[in-house]
């Protein structure tokens, strides 16, 4: 049951909800050479070989920009935005 196509589709649907919230709440630096790059870099993926035992459907939400971790967790000079954390908290309810 954990690997059924319907379960994988539901996991992907939930990931898409989280991705939508992450895109909507992503900070945009209008002074950068490519404003909105971080916001456009959100992507989702799913598989039915997830989990520790590779026996269940899972979906992933990730940001492909090279500086995504610094936006999420912050640096010494820049505060953390926790975009994915907040999106997962809000989107996980839907």
């Amino acid at each position: 049951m954990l690997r059924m196509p319907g379960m994988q589709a539901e996991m992907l649907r939930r990931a898409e909800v989280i991705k939508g919230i992450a895109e909507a709440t992503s900070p945009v630096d209008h002074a950068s050479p490519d404003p909105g790059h971080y916001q456009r870099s959100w992507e989702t993926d799913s598989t039915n070989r997830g989990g520790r035992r590779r026996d269940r459907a899972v979906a992933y939400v990730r940001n492909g920009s090279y500086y995504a971790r610094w936006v999420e967790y912050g640096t010494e000079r820049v505060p953390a935005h926790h975009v994915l954390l907040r999106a997962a908290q809000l989107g996980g309810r839907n």
Side-chain angles (χ1 to χ4, degrees):
M1 182 172 154
L2 295 174
R3 290 170 120 175
M4 292 175 57
M7 183 63 75
Q8 186 175 356
E10 176 61 16
M11 294 295 107
L12 187 57
R13 183 196 69 78
R14 290 176 184 227
E16 290 291 338
V17 169
I18 292 170
K19 176 187 169 193
I21 294 170
E23 287 173 338
T25 60
S26 292
V28 177
D29 182 9
H30 295 288
S32 75
D34 186 9
H37 174 73
Y38 176 79
Q39 188 177 36
R40 291 188 309 271
S41 296
W42 289 104
E43 54 191 41
T44 59
D45 189 20
S46 69
T47 181
N48 64 359
R49 297 277 185 192
R52 195 174 86 199
R53 297 183 186 170
R54 306 282 186 238
D55 63 346
R56 63 193 66 223
V58 295
Y60 302 99
V61 180
R62 61 178 68 99
N63 191 300
S65 70
Y66 73 92
Y67 54 87
R69 80 179 91 171
W70 299 316
V71 174
E72 185 71 18
Y73 301 114
T75 65
E76 292 177 359
R77 297 181 184 141
V78 178
H81 290 277
H82 299 298
V83 176
L84 185 57
L85 173 66
R86 291 184 288 127
Q89 288 172 339
L90 294 172
R93 299 179 193 156
N94 297 331

